[in-house]
Amino acid sequence: MTLRMKRIVKSFHENAVLKEVDFTVEKGEIHALLGVNGAGKSTLVKILSGQMKADSGEIWIGERQVSLSSPHKAIAAGIGIVVQEVDTALFPELTVAENVTIHEWMKGSAFVNWKKRKERAKQLLQQVGLEIAVDRLVSDCSLSEKQQIVIAQALSRNVQFLILDEPTAPLSETETTTLFQVMRRLKESGVGIIFISHRLPEIRAICDQITVLREGKTVLQSAVSLQTDDQIVQAMLGKQLATLKEKEPRIRETPLLQANQFYVPKLAKNISFTLHEGEVLGIAGLVGAGKTEIARALVGQDPSSNPVTIKGKQWMIKHPRKAMEAGLCLIPEERRKEGILIDFPIDQNLSLPHIHKMTKIGWLDRQKERRLAKEVVEKLGIRASSPMQTARLLSGGNQQKVSIGKWLDTGASVFLFDEPTKGIDIGAKVDVFSIISSLAEENKGILYFSNELNELLTVSDRILVLYDGQFIAERRINETTLEELMSLATGGIQGGTKHQGSRTS
């Protein structure tokens, strides 16, 4: 059976997002859907999952044309979706069994046979290879387990085609391997999978076919094996991606932020480091190493009992407001949950840290707010129909620019970026790198927390390797390799000794 989307058109006001897009996926295949942020992927997926209606075009499943005017109708047609923020698809205070079988229960009788319901949940979970106590609360499950629960939930509705939207972005390498095993199992059972990812190695490892969208049009449909990485990137960008120049590290000597035996509550460990003016200091660590915990402690979200020194002055940061006063700001990993107000317009998001300057006797000056938004939108190249567009309707890369942009004119001297390129495409990554470089040229200090080690070699001047909550090595980018960083970050050999994550840098 084949799912076909033919000549799909969608516009928002005067902005044409999809321009007669064609997309085809077969049952029993894994099909990659690629494109830079703003290419139209999210809109196409929303139409396919019934969250949005196309202006024109046709959707066929086999020989039958279908109308997917609501999520309910998409589900009835056999189409399921696993969104990037899986928590939004689950009820955290219900059990695993209740979540997996929620849709079957909702259409059943008022009487609940709990024994049968638990057995049904176990059967569905076995299909995705997840062995877990079905009486366990979903709030106690890991992110990887929650993903598998959502997939099992889709199987309970007899899913024929499953959309996975950036499913590996928050996962560790081990969790990604587990997900791929589930995907292969579903493929063998005849489910067609639409896999959205920006990671080409993953696409080569798991996908059969590839479709690339660019500027709202289908520009490439092919077997993955027939395309090189350069050809795929060229299709996404419309031009050959220029190789980023090998940079020389900035050698800076003026201390900006000094942490000496700084206590990180969530890690129950002390760390020490120095960030200089105009320096991009990369913090290299794999998932679970403690990057986010350090970032949150530094800005007072998880207050430390120890001070930090900023521009020679000691600060005890017990609250994010105190961090702002000290000149620290955080661009968090979960931008849709913590970086922006997803249901508010761009201009209101960008004005948040500036409200005190834009209000007089309790009244907000909307003209000032809109002037600021216009300047930031133009400066960062945020692609939107207007500064009043709702943040939810922006692509991931443009949402990230909003998350960064609100801090630009606050007087902040230290910018903390926690996994800033997570879930954004190649073009948007280059834009983020450019913003960071500009901040460094303004003598701002940047802490760049990432598990993308190749990115750290591109953007950083100096790298601290984080392992098990401790800095265990320091390298300038012209003195190390990707292989060495990976070895260090995974607890490998350093100077003939397997490090235990016990010392500070």
Side-chain angles (χ1 to χ4, degrees):
M1 188 185 294
T2 304
L3 185 154
R4 293 186 179 88
M5 302 181 79
K6 299 181 179 180
R7 301 181 301 280
I8 302 296
V9 173
K10 182 66 180 178
S11 298
F12 298 103
H13 304 295
E14 298 178 357
N15 183 26
V17 178
L18 298 178
K19 308 166 187 174
E20 297 196 342
V21 167
D22 292 323
F23 178 69
T24 301
V25 59
E26 303 282 348
K27 283 191 67 177
E29 79 172 12
I30 302 176
H31 196 122
L33 179 61
L34 293 184
V36 301
N37 284 310
K41 303 186 306 297
S42 296
T43 303
L44 189 70
V45 162
K46 285 177 181 176
I47 290 170
L48 185 57
S49 58
Q51 301 172 55
M52 190 179 288
K53 190 174 180 180
D55 297 335
S56 64
E58 300 173 356
I59 301 176
W60 292 74
I61 297 179
E63 301 302 317
R64 179 171 57 97
Q65 186 174 353
V66 295
S67 171
L68 307 179
S69 55
S70 70
H72 178 73
K73 287 190 174 181
I75 290 167
I79 298 168
I81 182 169
V82 178
V83 295
Q84 194 170 347
E85 293 83 13
V86 290
D87 287 309
T88 63
L90 296 169
F91 297 92
E93 297 311 316
L94 296 184
T95 65
V96 172
E98 288 171 311
N99 272 275
V100 169
T101 60
I102 189 75
H103 299 284
E104 293 181 346
W105 173 77
M106 288 172 68
K107 65 184 181 183
S109 67
F111 176 75
V112 179
N113 186 323
W114 285 107
K115 184 177 180 180
K116 285 186 176 179
R117 193 168 175 183
K118 290 177 182 179
E119 285 302 317
R120 175 62 173 157
K122 289 178 182 177
Q123 291 170 5
L124 292 165
L125 291 169
Q126 283 174 357
Q127 290 183 50
V128 299
L130 180 60
E131 294 184 8
I132 189 172
V134 294
D135 290 324
R136 185 176 174 185
L137 290 179
V138 159
S139 57
D140 295 331
C141 296
S142 70
L143 186 57
S144 176
E145 289 168 340
K146 288 175 183 176
Q147 271 192 347
Q148 289 168 273
I149 291 167
V150 175
I151 294 172
Q153 205 180 66
L155 293 179
S156 76
R157 293 170 286 180
N158 194 31
V159 68
Q160 305 298 306
F161 296 94
L162 183 64
I163 304 163
L164 300 177
D165 186 6
E166 294 282 356
T168 63
L171 300 185
S172 67
E173 187 174 344
T174 301
E175 290 170 332
T176 296
T177 300
T178 300
L179 175 65
F180 285 0
Q181 291 170 351
V182 173
M183 290 169 65
R184 291 187 180 101
R185 193 177 291 116
L186 293 174
K187 172 185 169 179
E188 290 170 4
S189 69
V191 176
I193 298 174
I194 300 165
F195 180 68
I196 301 172
S197 174
H198 292 111
R199 300 175 177 177
L200 294 181
E202 290 182 354
I203 288 162
R204 292 215 173 276
I206 196 69
C207 295
D208 306 302
Q209 298 287 322
I210 184 171
T211 292
V212 176
L213 300 185
R214 185 177 75 241
E215 296 178 354
K217 296 180 179 178
T218 307
V219 295
L220 176 65
Q221 291 177 308
S222 170
V224 174
S225 59
L226 298 179
Q227 302 295 321
T228 66
D229 286 358
D230 284 345
Q231 287 172 324
I232 294 171
V233 170
Q234 186 173 354
M236 292 168 64
L237 298 177
K239 60 182 184 295
Q240 200 72 34
L241 180 65
T243 303
L244 291 168
K245 293 180 180 178
E246 186 176 331
K247 60 171 281 189
E248 284 296 315
R250 304 175 185 88
I251 308 296
R252 300 301 172 101
E253 298 179 353
T254 305
L256 175 57
L257 168 66
Q258 294 169 289
N260 183 25
Q261 293 298 304
F262 178 76
Y263 182 70
V264 182
K266 288 288 181 70
L267 300 177
K269 292 180 179 178
N270 294 323
I271 60 167
S272 299
F273 68 92
T274 298
L275 171 69
H276 302 91
E277 289 184 358
E279 180 183 42
V280 180
L281 178 58
I283 308 297
L286 303 182
V287 173
K291 302 185 301 299
T292 296
E293 290 82 354
I294 292 171
R296 287 176 59 89
L298 286 168
V299 298
Q301 285 182 285
D302 300 320
S304 173
S305 55
N306 295 29
V308 293
T309 302
I310 301 172
K311 294 184 176 179
K313 179 181 177 180
Q314 275 202 345
W315 292 84
M316 185 68 75
I317 299 174
K318 294 289 188 181
H319 191 275
R321 187 179 296 278
K322 195 69 176 178
M324 289 176 62
E325 184 184 338
L328 273 70
C329 65
L330 170 64
I331 294 85
E333 178 178 8
E334 298 295 339
R335 58 178 170 271
R336 290 170 62 90
K337 290 183 181 178
E338 301 175 341
I340 58 175
L341 298 175
I342 196 73
D343 290 314
F344 282 68
I346 296 168
D347 57 353
Q348 292 181 27
N349 271 280
L350 292 173
S351 68
L352 278 174
H354 309 269
I355 289 292
H356 63 289
K357 295 187 292 186
M358 295 184 175
T359 53
K360 190 173 183 181
I361 57 171
W363 291 92
L364 175 66
D365 189 330
R366 290 285 289 162
Q367 287 188 336
K368 282 186 179 179
E369 184 178 61
R370 285 171 181 161
R371 277 199 301 272
L372 171 70
K374 186 173 183 292
E375 290 172 5
V376 176
V377 166
E378 290 177 355
K379 183 175 183 179
L380 300 189
I382 298 171
R383 294 184 61 182
S385 56
S386 82
M388 279 73 80
Q389 183 175 341
T390 304
R392 182 182 293 278
L393 299 177
L394 298 175
S395 66
N398 286 303
Q399 288 176 354
Q400 185 69 312
K401 289 180 184 179
V402 173
S403 182
I404 298 169
K406 69 183 184 184
W407 297 109
L408 292 187
D409 295 317
T410 59
S413 57
V414 178
F415 285 72
L416 286 72
F417 288 84
D418 188 6
E419 300 289 357
T421 64
K422 174 180 159 183
I424 67 176
D425 64 70
I426 298 168
K429 286 182 182 182
V430 174
D431 289 343
V432 170
F433 294 162
S434 177
I435 293 168
I436 289 170
S437 181
S438 296
L439 290 170
E441 292 301 322
E442 295 171 12
N443 263 352
K444 310 290 187 183
I446 290 90
L447 288 173
Y448 191 102
F449 298 83
S450 182
N451 62 21
E452 299 285 352
L453 304 183
N454 55 338
E455 288 183 8
L456 289 169
L457 289 168
T458 298
V459 74
S460 305
D461 301 303
R462 187 164 54 97
I463 296 173
L464 297 179
V465 181
L466 186 67
Y467 177 74
D468 191 26
Q470 293 286 321
F471 295 130
I472 49 84
E474 175 185 335
R475 296 287 187 274
R476 293 204 176 273
I477 58 166
N478 58 350
E479 299 171 348
T480 189
T481 63
L482 180 61
E483 291 75 17
E484 183 190 30
L485 290 179
M486 180 59 75
S487 176
L488 291 166
T490 54
I493 301 300
Q494 180 185 213
T497 305
K498 186 177 180 65
H499 42 76
Q500 305 297 322
S502 58
R503 69 181 182 85
T504 58
S505 171

